[in-house]
Amino acid sequence: DTAVSQTPKYLVTQMGNDKSIKCEQNLGHDTMYWYKQDSKKFLKIMFSYNNKELIINETVPNRFSPKSPDKAHLNLHINSLELGDSAVYFCASSPSHRGNYGYTFGSGTRLTVV
Amino acid sequence: GQQLNQSPQSMFIQEGEDVSMNCTSSSIFNTWLWYKQDPGEGPVLLIALYKAGELTSNGRLTAQFGITRKDSFLNISASIPSDVGIYFCAATPGGTSYGKLTFGQGTILTVHP
């Protein structure tokens, strides 16, 4: 039973399209995150939600909009996709946003914009 | 912004050799973490360090939280082929950082049988 599951695993789409990535965690964690891993494998935080409330919003284009319908789900919607959005997007969760807990990551969504 | 400088960027070793990698920062962090990422998967937590000077082991892995709180190292002893992957250090200031992790650039480890 996967702890943090993301769908789809692969996404190939044309520039200008709108797409969504879904994430669900069954760990009972309060906090969920979206990270972006670029072609050089660098991981950078994009967003964090704690109990459905946005608590971290890094410098990310407005075309990226996260949504958390409940604390077990965090989705990422991307409008007007650009070539530079191609990357691997990881969802993660942690027990709390306070304290220093390591995350549990999903297996990633590889987005390719052509 | 805060940055973690991880080295080396890559390592090519023979099975059975020991491996050492480290991470430094100009900023103080209150938690240091080491992750491993296999191809096509997300990073998996290996070791978490919560106290300056702390030395923690997990099987053949040993990691230390630097006394200045600005660095950490990870050692792998007697490497085996399944140790292949990308190793990341990560750290957080704690407190009101809201769980935000900063990651190092990663160390790509290749183990030759």
Side-chain angles (χ1 to χ4, degrees):
Chain A
D1 201 18
T2 307
V4 180
S5 58
Q6 297 178 228
T7 54
K9 189 161 177 69
Y10 300 96
L11 185 53
V12 181
T13 188
Q14 290 188 323
M15 273 198 313
N17 283 351
D18 303 338
K19 289 293 177 186
S20 291
I21 307 172
K22 295 187 175 184
C23 180
E24 176 182 2
Q25 56 97 1
N26 62 8
L27 298 167
H29 288 172
D30 284 345
T31 310
M32 296 183 73
Y33 311 82
W34 279 110
Y35 271 76
K36 180 180 180 181
Q37 187 172 46
D38 62 23
S39 58
K40 295 184 179 176
K41 304 299 183 185
F42 184 65
L43 279 155
K44 192 171 190 323
I45 193 167
M46 301 172 68
F47 301 104
S48 173
Y49 271 74
N50 185 68
N51 258 322
K52 304 190 296 176
E53 180 188 349
L54 180 66
I55 55 171
I56 294 176
N57 184 353
E58 291 293 286
T59 308
V60 177
N62 290 340
R63 299 181 294 103
F64 290 79
S65 53
K67 280 193 172 52
S68 182
D70 55 62
K71 75 173 194 177
H73 295 85
L74 180 61
N75 304 322
L76 183 65
H77 188 75
I78 315 170
N79 289 326
S80 303
L81 278 154
E82 300 177 357
L83 292 176
D85 297 333
S86 296
V88 182
Y89 292 84
F90 285 101
C91 177
S93 71
S94 66
S96 169
H97 67 291
R98 298 196 181 279
N100 303 315
Y101 298 101
Y103 300 171
T104 300
F105 281 87
S107 57
T109 296
R110 181 175 293 278
L111 172 66
T112 304
V113 183
V114 297
Chain B
Q2 295 170 328
Q3 280 189 315
L4 299 183
N5 299 308
Q6 186 172 347
S7 64
Q9 285 189 335
S10 60
M11 302 183 76
F12 297 84
I13 61 168
Q14 290 291 129
E15 184 177 359
E17 288 183 0
D18 297 343
V19 171
S20 186
M21 58 192 80
N22 68 78
C23 217
T24 61
S25 172
S26 57
S27 304
I28 286 174
F29 289 96
N30 289 313
T31 297
W32 285 84
L33 306 156
W34 285 92
Y35 283 86
K36 182 191 178 201
Q37 185 177 18
D38 290 326
E41 297 296 329
V44 173
L45 183 65
L46 299 174
I47 291 180
L49 302 156
Y50 298 109
K51 197 173 170 184
E54 180 182 353
L55 183 72
T56 297
S57 292
N58 178 6
R60 293 179 296 106
L61 277 58
T62 302
Q64 184 156 32
F65 186 154
I67 199 76
T68 64
R69 292 188 284 161
K70 293 183 178 180
D71 63 323
S72 176
F73 72 75
L74 174 71
N75 287 340
I76 305 173
S77 63
S79 59
I80 58 178
S82 62
D83 290 334
V84 163
I86 305 176
Y87 290 79
F88 290 98
C89 62
T92 176
T96 58
S97 68
Y98 299 112
K100 178 180 169 182
L101 284 185
T102 298
F103 280 83
Q105 305 96 320
T107 295
I108 301 171
L109 179 63
T110 303
V111 180
H112 294 289

